[in-house]
Structures are given as C-alpha cells and as structure tokens.
Amino acid sequence: MLQTVILLWQKYGYVYLFGLWGTIWLAAVTVAAASVLGALIALMKLSQQKVLDAFTTVYISLIRGTPILLQLYFFWLVLPKLLPVRIGDTACIVIALIVNASAYIAEVIRAGIQAVDQGQAEAARSLGLSAYHTMKQIILPQAIKNILPALGNEYISMVKQTSLASVFFIQELTTSYKTVQAATFLAIPSLLIAGVIYFLLTSMLARGLQFYERSLRCDEG
C-alpha cells in the first residue's frame, strides 16, 4: 500500500497540489468576505432597531438551522436564474459558502463585542464620544483580540467544508482526489493522499493559531 501511495504521489502529486491551492484560496476568500458580511450582521443585531434585530435573528437561525450542502444546492440552482448576468458554478458556490460562514462569524463578532466591559462604553459616552467613535476607538480594538482566535478556527473549519464544493466539480483538494481515483481506479491510496494533505494543512494552521493565542496572553500579561 505504501509503495502504491508513493508511486501515485510521484505521478499525480501536481494534481493534489493544484487542488490544495484551490482549497486554500476558496477558504481564504470565503472567510475574508464572510468576515465583512458577518461584521455588518453583528452590528445590525446589536443595534437598537427591532426590525434589524428581527431580520438578523431570522437570517442567522435560517442559515445555522439548515445543512450547508442544501444551501450550496440552493444557490447553485437559484442564483443563475435570479441574476441578470451570467454567473459560473464557482461563483455560485463561493457566494453560498460566504453566506453560510457569515452567520457563524456574525455570532463570533457579536460575542467578542459583548465580552468587552460595558462600563468602558458608558465612560466613553460620558466623556462626550459619540456611539460611532466609542465603538471605533474603545470597543472594537479590544473586541478584535477576542474575535481573531475564533476567526482562525472558522478558517480551519472552512478548509474542511470546502470539500463539499467537489460535489459541483469546483477545483479543490477533494476534487483532485476524485480526478486521480477516476484515472487510476486506486480509490484507497488516492483517498489516503488527500487525507494526509488535509491533516497536515489543518495541523499547521492549528499550531499557528495556538502560537498566536499564546502571544496574545503574553501581551496581556
């Protein structure tokens, strides 16, 4: 088995590396865009407007209460019919992943903001700062320290979730496995290579995240 895996890697390693780049790219774009959308949703939910609070509550509940694969199928089928311009499969899946991740990231950002002592906001307002400047200069700089480690976990989770894009033949690591398996009919060795790459990638990201969290604790100490 080990010899077969090595021979397979020597011949098709470039296919896996191409898929690895697709996985990293897909996860990075998704988490970056979902962070912007999630921040907007979190601020809407924290506002005093009941309409915005109700809208974001329904949005988050709906996204978190339905399977991600179902959402991918929904956007893949509906978006090309709704948009006036032609849109490809990759764009549909990226948008679906962004919408899904935004619901989870919105809760991360909301929790990070609410973890900051509200007494600091009251003190800033008593000194004459507006709500906007209180959020920008006092709350957000502290909240970001709470938010970034959770965002790192979301990126690691998204690396694994991008494997669902292979259902729609979007180029990423699981799609590379399917390509090699179809060409060689060696299902288990092909799968082992993809599994090892996923494990190494997520392990390195987790180690980097742990190092960052330790540096934050040192700064606070």
Side-chain angles (χ1 to χ4, degrees):
M1 176 66 78
L2 180 59
Q3 187 177 8
T4 305
V5 169
I6 293 173
L7 290 174
L8 209 58
W9 171 256
Q10 289 175 339
K11 187 172 183 180
Y12 294 100
Y14 71 96
V15 179
Y16 286 103
L17 291 177
F18 188 59
L20 174 62
W21 167 246
T23 292
I24 294 172
W25 171 85
L26 202 55
V29 169
T30 298
V31 172
S35 298
V36 176
L37 181 58
L40 179 63
I41 294 168
L43 292 175
M44 289 168 64
K45 190 168 181 58
L46 290 171
S47 73
Q48 302 299 319
Q49 299 292 327
K50 291 184 178 179
V51 175
L52 295 179
D53 180 52
F55 170 76
T56 53
T57 299
V58 171
Y59 177 87
I60 292 171
S61 300
L62 188 63
I63 297 299
R64 298 181 68 173
T66 53
I68 183 173
L69 185 57
L70 191 71
Q71 295 166 21
L72 296 183
Y73 271 117
F74 178 80
F75 280 89
W76 182 63
L77 291 170
V78 171
L79 277 183
K81 296 178 181 176
L82 289 181
L83 297 178
V85 296
R86 183 179 176 84
I87 182 170
D89 290 345
T90 301
C92 290
I93 298 307
V94 169
I95 291 172
L97 290 172
I98 290 170
V99 170
N100 176 271
S102 69
Y104 293 89
I105 290 176
E107 288 295 85
V108 168
I109 294 174
R110 182 183 62 81
I113 292 174
Q114 289 182 328
V116 178
D117 185 3
Q118 292 303 306
Q120 298 187 33
E122 294 170 3
R125 297 298 299 273
S126 67
L127 292 173
L129 288 179
S130 65
Y132 170 76
H133 284 96
T134 298
M135 179 63 72
K136 180 182 177 183
Q137 298 176 14
I138 306 297
I139 304 298
L140 282 182
Q142 299 179 72
I144 286 173
K145 289 186 177 180
N146 302 325
I147 293 168
L148 285 180
L151 275 183
N153 283 324
E154 185 63 29
Y155 182 77
I156 294 172
S157 175
M158 185 54 63
V159 165
K160 293 177 281 187
Q161 289 184 349
T162 54
S163 63
L164 293 171
S166 66
V167 176
F168 306 90
F169 304 104
I170 307 303
Q171 187 57 54
E172 50 77 55
L173 192 51
T174 303
T175 306
S176 295
Y177 145 69
K178 290 182 175 179
T179 301
V180 174
Q181 190 273 333
T184 62
F185 300 102
L186 296 171
I188 296 177
S190 306
L191 191 63
L192 282 175
I193 294 174
V196 168
I197 295 174
Y198 272 121
F199 176 75
L200 292 176
L201 176 60
T202 55
S203 295
M204 286 190 293
L205 291 172
R207 282 295 183 91
L209 187 59
Q210 288 172 358
F211 177 78
Y212 174 71
E213 289 177 347
R214 280 200 297 270
S215 68
L216 280 182
R217 284 197 291 270
C218 290
D219 290 342
E220 290 172 356

